[in-house]
Amino acid sequence: MEKVNVLGAGMTKFDKYLNRSLSFLGQEALSNALADSGIDISKIEAAYVGNAMAGAILGQESIRGQVVLSGTELEGLPVYNVENACASGSTAFHLAWMSIASGMYDVVLALGVEKLFHKDKMKTFNAFRGSTNVEALHSFPGKGNNDAQSMFMDVYAQEAREHMNKYGTTIETIAQVAVKNSFNGSLNPYAQYQQAKSLGEVMNSRMISDPIRLLMCSPIGDGAAAIILCSEKIAAQYSTKSIYVASSVVLSGKTKTSDDKDPAGTRTALKAYELAGIGANEVGVVEVHDGAAPGEIWAYEHLGLCSKGEGGNLLLSGETQIDGKIPVNPSGGLIAKGHPVGATGIAQIVELTWQMRGEARQRQIKNKPKVGLAYNNGGYLNGESAAISINILKS
Amino acid sequence: MEKVNVLGAGMTKFDKYLNRSLSFLGQEALSNALADSGIDISKIEAAYVGNAMAGAILGQESIRGQVVLSGTELEGLPVYNVENACASGSTAFHLAWMSIASGMYDVVLALGVEKLFHKDKMKTFNAFRGSTNVEALHSFPGKGNNDAQSMFMDVYAQEAREHMNKYGTTIETIAQVAVKNSFNGSLNPYAQYQQAKSLGEVMNSRMISDPIRLLMCSPIGDGAAAIILCSEKIAAQYSTKSIYVASSVVLSGKTKTSDDKDPAGTRTALKAYELAGIGANEVGVVEVHDGAAPGEIWAYEHLGLCSKGEGGNLLLSGETQIDGKIPVNPSGGLIAKGHPVGATGIAQIVELTWQMRGEARQRQIKNKPKVGLAYNNGGYLNGESAAISINILKS
């Protein structure tokens, strides 16, 4: 297979953009990635566009990518519209990667874009239903059946309680994820929230789904992120700061059994490490899916950054802070940078790219990391994430 | 690139299935394709699932493929959810093809599934809006802006009037598409409508959007279709009736200008022929996207089966009938076989497979064709189809 290079990375600030269209946001991210790459737009041969919620919120289904790219020079190209709930962006990236790896194309765009804010808030809240099995909503934990707003927070809450019961993790430890990530977000001009929060502020914020409180949750947000991928031949012509995709894996959850020892996150991580030919100890920077704070702790365990049950202790050790041994979510993660669903997975890769090039300014990790990993997951089905995607970059 | 083989093909009858779920229909098509292939389900490594309308009609967004495959042995695999309006199925097929061509996988599933019937008919009618630019509905021809039901029929009607004015094509000629396809459908046990219609019946049916009448339109329908693709290595073990993908192309429409000489259908066809290394004169069986009857006539022209403006005459010559020189829509096409949107593009390939193997029973084309072509298109943006997909099979 062809070696696949990250030629350009760009994103919008994640924010509330009631008066900007999906295409405005998507094209801003595209422009930023193009400027970063130095390549002309006419060289792009195909576009993979991830979006999860425009159908439910805006009524824009089916040809989301064509609409977003309408009026640009990319009109007429193959446009692939990819959905995979909160992992839509990384799944679009994965298919874009495959298209270069296969030798099909030399230069492609992976774009993630989302507008979650809507004047009618119920449109946003109810949109999350569509990322579950709508014929089996009764199987949702907590009060999900009646309140789409917090369905996914109910899932995080249930799994947090299980982790607390089984391993003695405390809610204060979980809250420290939000403390760390809000601090990182305070250093990131692209983050939706740029204010560091104290443990007290997190623990005293409004209860959303016991034990999950408001400041432990990723917010509603709008935004877009774009990556331009290219073959080795093209990279040699354009890039002096080459970063390439060492492995790209997408899997789905299986129906969870009570003695489940094989969570989808772990399966995906093992495969991603195997294909990249590395172990967890070689990773120098990680972006994970902290849809709510406990998600980051499970991610440590799924990724093998620590053993099962030790996620809370790894966090408390400080090693996942920006100045730690294995920084996680230096961007601020979903909690602080924000979570415009379809954009999230690609924004994670934008952050890895900047960190690995040494371009992350105030939040730059010392000694530019040589290996970066992005862990994106989404949807909920039969007790697990419906989709998991892990991408590993190397420089 | 690896040679990509069609190992198995299967579909449900297209019909009205108010009491069957999306997953019931999808799994029936999967079972039929598996039985046809002779391969065990455990050999499938990934699933590409096309669906266009489950979001708008059923509220099922984002993880449609995982929901459809839930409870099967395919749980846990990479599942790629692909949207491209009425071309969703063929776009899923294209990505499935790419994954084998690239050497990434040896056996994959391409599945298209749709449920359009709903107790609340307005849900179905309004769902079609999502396949246009919802921020620019005012640009729609005819009364589309006020009546989502007939938006796409307004497009067909406008282009039909243009063809009639420019080339002298008559509405009776266009109606003959429906006569031919309803006859073919009468021979197809998988068709939603299995009754041959006379010219008088078509011309006297209710006016939908002048000059398009009811029996010239594809109906609302439910159903699923599945293809199992495999590498040459696997095909050698399982298949004694090898059919392979000679080319697979997906493109998007460009903003149409008044002097447009380069419609997306023609661009796509030229590329598909070039990659397959054949000319239009070598094709032995064709399935095209007769969303309404005039669509088949334009398809003749885009595909180079005749020159521009000659589509009506080609039809009247009888050469596109099952016993003609270049049979088109032997399945009955969208008009008679039906058009469960996400399933359509894959059902076209199922029909080609059966025809090329000599398994199409009553509607079998004499002298099994050695080359088959499927032309699927969908959505509407800036005056053109938003998505066009052409797949060419060879035996």
Side-chain angles (χ1 to χ4, degrees):
Chain A
M1 286 203 284
E2 290 275 333
K3 190 171 168 185
V4 181
N5 294 265
V6 177
L7 188 64
M11 61 184 287
T12 68
K13 179 181 186 297
F14 287 176
D15 214 325
K16 180 176 185 173
Y17 293 119
L18 274 178
N19 296 319
R20 297 189 191 176
S21 69
L22 209 59
S23 74
F24 186 101
L25 294 170
Q27 292 185 22
E28 182 181 327
L30 167 62
S31 295
N32 291 345
L34 277 169
D36 180 60
S37 71
I39 205 167
D40 190 77
I41 190 169
S42 64
K43 301 287 186 189
I44 294 178
E45 297 166 283
Y48 294 78
V49 182
N51 172 273
M53 302 290 185
I57 296 174
L58 305 170
Q60 185 63 65
E61 304 265 0
S62 283
I63 56 165
R64 309 173 196 211
Q66 286 97 328
V67 168
V68 167
L69 298 171
S70 179
T72 73
E73 284 183 62
L74 302 186
E75 278 194 355
L77 292 186
V79 175
Y80 304 101
N81 300 297
V82 181
E83 273 192 313
N84 226 354
C86 296
S88 295
S90 57
T91 304
F93 177 88
H94 170 83
L95 289 167
W97 161 76
M98 195 188 292
S99 76
I100 306 253
S102 70
M104 173 86 37
Y105 301 121
D106 280 311
V107 186
V108 302
L109 169 69
L111 177 68
V113 56
E114 201 76 67
K115 268 177 68 71
L116 293 181
F117 277 109
H118 193 280
K119 285 173 198 166
D120 175 1
K121 286 185 183 178
M122 289 314 294
K123 286 225 178 207
T124 302
F125 296 152
N126 284 323
F128 286 85
R129 280 188 200 276
S131 296
T132 68
N133 182 347
V134 297
E135 288 176 1
L137 284 174
H138 58 274
S139 69
F140 238 77
K143 60 186 188 294
N145 199 21
N146 303 316
D147 183 353
Q149 172 181 6
S150 65
M151 283 168 81
F152 279 87
M153 294 309 146
D154 291 343
V155 173
Y156 279 107
Q158 175 173 293
E159 299 200 8
R161 288 193 300 270
E162 286 173 16
H163 204 275
M164 291 162 73
N165 288 336
K166 200 162 173 185
Y167 302 111
T169 311
T170 67
I171 189 60
E172 286 78 10
T173 297
I174 291 171
Q176 290 286 3
V177 170
V179 174
K180 172 178 75 69
N181 291 353
S182 67
F183 172 77
N184 295 353
S186 76
L187 306 176
N188 185 356
Y190 292 88
Q192 185 169 349
Y193 290 100
Q194 299 179 23
Q195 212 174 1
K197 299 289 180 187
S198 69
L199 182 62
E201 286 173 298
V202 175
M203 288 300 298
N204 288 315
S205 62
R206 179 163 63 85
M207 186 68 82
I208 298 294
S209 184
D210 190 22
I212 306 293
R213 293 174 181 271
L214 183 68
L215 293 181
M216 301 175 195
C217 301
S218 58
I220 298 296
D222 305 331
I227 292 279
I228 295 169
L229 291 173
C230 72
S231 64
E232 191 70 355
K233 184 177 75 183
I234 299 290
Q237 293 169 39
Y238 287 88
S239 177
T240 55
K241 38 194 177 182
S242 185
I243 288 171
Y244 68 97
V245 184
S247 69
S248 178
V249 177
V250 171
L251 290 178
S252 302
K254 292 180 181 175
T255 298
K256 194 176 180 181
T257 56
S258 56
D259 62 341
D260 200 359
K261 291 184 180 66
D262 184 28
T266 303
R267 277 194 297 126
T268 312
L270 289 174
K271 194 168 169 191
Y273 289 132
E274 183 193 337
L275 293 175
I278 62 164
N281 60 330
E282 292 175 64
V283 179
V285 56
V286 179
E287 288 276 312
V288 304
H289 199 86
D290 55 327
E296 179 164 323
I297 289 177
W298 308 325
Y300 295 166
E301 300 174 7
H302 295 163
L303 293 173
L305 306 182
C306 63
S307 53
K308 185 90 185 136
E310 290 297 318
N313 290 334
L314 176 61
L315 177 74
L316 295 178
S317 76
E319 296 292 17
T320 60
Q321 294 177 5
I322 282 183
D323 58 357
K325 203 171 138 196
I326 172 67
V328 177
N329 281 331
S331 70
L334 281 58
I335 289 177
K337 184 173 60 179
H339 182 33
V341 177
T344 290
I346 294 183
Q348 291 179 324
I349 292 166
V350 171
E351 178 71 11
L352 296 182
T353 302
W354 288 340
Q355 291 286 355
M356 293 171 70
R357 287 182 185 163
E359 299 174 353
R361 305 191 216 181
Q362 279 189 279
R363 65 189 187 288
Q364 178 63 47
I365 296 167
K366 274 174 295 184
N367 306 323
K368 287 188 299 184
K370 292 196 175 314
V371 178
L373 182 151
Y375 178 115
N376 187 203
N377 56 277
Y380 182 85
L381 193 65
N382 304 327
E384 274 212 320
S385 285
I388 307 94
S389 174
I390 294 181
N391 287 286
I392 297 179
L393 306 186
K394 278 190 186 174
S395 64
Chain B
M1 287 202 285
E2 290 274 332
K3 190 172 169 185
V4 181
N5 294 267
V6 176
L7 188 64
M11 60 184 287
T12 68
K13 179 181 185 297
F14 287 176
D15 214 324
K16 179 176 185 173
Y17 293 119
L18 273 178
N19 296 319
R20 297 190 191 175
S21 69
L22 208 60
S23 73
F24 186 101
L25 294 170
Q27 292 184 23
E28 182 180 326
L30 167 62
S31 295
N32 291 344
L34 276 170
D36 180 60
S37 72
I39 205 166
D40 190 77
I41 190 170
S42 64
K43 301 286 187 190
I44 294 178
E45 296 165 283
Y48 294 78
V49 181
N51 173 272
M53 302 289 184
I57 297 174
L58 304 170
Q60 185 64 65
E61 303 266 2
S62 284
I63 56 165
R64 310 173 196 210
Q66 287 96 327
V67 168
V68 167
L69 298 172
S70 178
T72 72
E73 284 182 63
L74 302 186
E75 276 194 353
L77 293 187
V79 174
Y80 305 101
N81 299 297
V82 182
E83 273 192 313
N84 226 354
C86 296
S88 295
S90 58
T91 304
F93 177 87
H94 171 82
L95 289 167
W97 161 76
M98 195 188 292
S99 76
I100 306 252
S102 69
M104 174 86 38
Y105 300 121
D106 280 312
V107 186
V108 302
L109 169 68
L111 177 68
V113 57
E114 202 75 67
K115 268 178 68 72
L116 293 181
F117 277 109
H118 193 280
K119 284 172 198 166
D120 174 2
K121 285 184 182 176
M122 288 314 295
K123 287 224 177 207
T124 303
F125 297 152
N126 284 324
F128 286 85
R129 279 189 201 276
S131 296
T132 69
N133 182 345
V134 297
E135 289 176 0
L137 284 174
H138 58 275
S139 70
F140 237 79
K143 61 184 186 295
N145 200 20
N146 303 315
D147 182 354
Q149 171 181 7
S150 65
M151 283 168 83
F152 279 87
M153 294 309 145
D154 291 343
V155 173
Y156 279 108
Q158 175 173 293
E159 300 201 7
R161 288 191 300 269
E162 285 173 14
H163 204 276
M164 291 162 72
N165 289 336
K166 198 162 172 185
Y167 302 111
T169 311
T170 67
I171 189 60
E172 287 78 11
T173 296
I174 290 172
Q176 290 286 4
V177 170
V179 174
K180 171 178 74 71
N181 290 353
S182 68
F183 172 77
N184 294 354
S186 76
L187 306 176
N188 184 356
Y190 291 88
Q192 186 169 349
Y193 291 99
Q194 299 179 23
Q195 211 173 6
K197 298 290 180 185
S198 68
L199 182 61
E201 286 174 296
V202 176
M203 287 301 296
N204 289 315
S205 63
R206 180 163 62 85
M207 185 69 82
I208 299 294
S209 184
D210 190 21
I212 307 292
R213 293 174 180 272
L214 183 68
L215 292 180
M216 300 174 194
C217 301
S218 58
I220 298 295
D222 305 332
I227 293 279
I228 295 168
L229 291 173
C230 71
S231 64
E232 192 70 356
K233 184 177 74 185
I234 300 289
Q237 294 169 38
Y238 286 88
S239 178
T240 55
K241 39 193 176 182
S242 185
I243 289 171
Y244 69 97
V245 184
S247 70
S248 179
V249 177
V250 171
L251 290 178
S252 302
K254 292 180 182 174
T255 299
K256 194 177 180 181
T257 55
S258 55
D259 63 341
D260 200 1
K261 291 183 179 67
D262 183 30
T266 304
R267 277 194 297 128
T268 311
L270 289 173
K271 194 168 169 191
Y273 289 134
E274 182 194 338
L275 293 175
I278 62 164
N281 61 329
E282 293 175 64
V283 179
V285 56
V286 179
E287 287 275 312
V288 304
H289 199 85
D290 55 327
E296 179 164 323
I297 288 176
W298 309 324
Y300 296 167
E301 300 174 7
H302 296 163
L303 293 173
L305 305 182
C306 63
S307 52
K308 185 91 185 133
E310 289 297 316
N313 290 334
L314 176 60
L315 176 74
L316 294 178
S317 76
E319 296 293 16
T320 60
Q321 293 176 7
I322 283 184
D323 58 357
K325 205 171 138 196
I326 173 65
V328 177
N329 280 331
S331 70
L334 282 59
I335 289 177
K337 184 174 59 180
H339 181 32
V341 177
T344 290
I346 295 183
Q348 291 179 324
I349 292 165
V350 171
E351 177 71 12
L352 295 183
T353 302
W354 288 340
Q355 290 285 356
M356 292 170 71
R357 286 181 185 164
E359 298 174 354
R361 304 193 218 180
Q362 279 189 283
R363 66 190 185 288
Q364 179 63 46
I365 296 167
K366 272 174 296 183
N367 306 323
K368 287 188 299 186
K370 292 197 174 314
V371 179
L373 182 151
Y375 178 115
N376 188 202
N377 56 278
Y380 182 83
L381 193 64
N382 304 328
E384 276 213 317
S385 286
I388 307 93
S389 174
I390 293 181
N391 287 286
I392 297 178
L393 306 185
K394 279 188 184 175
S395 63

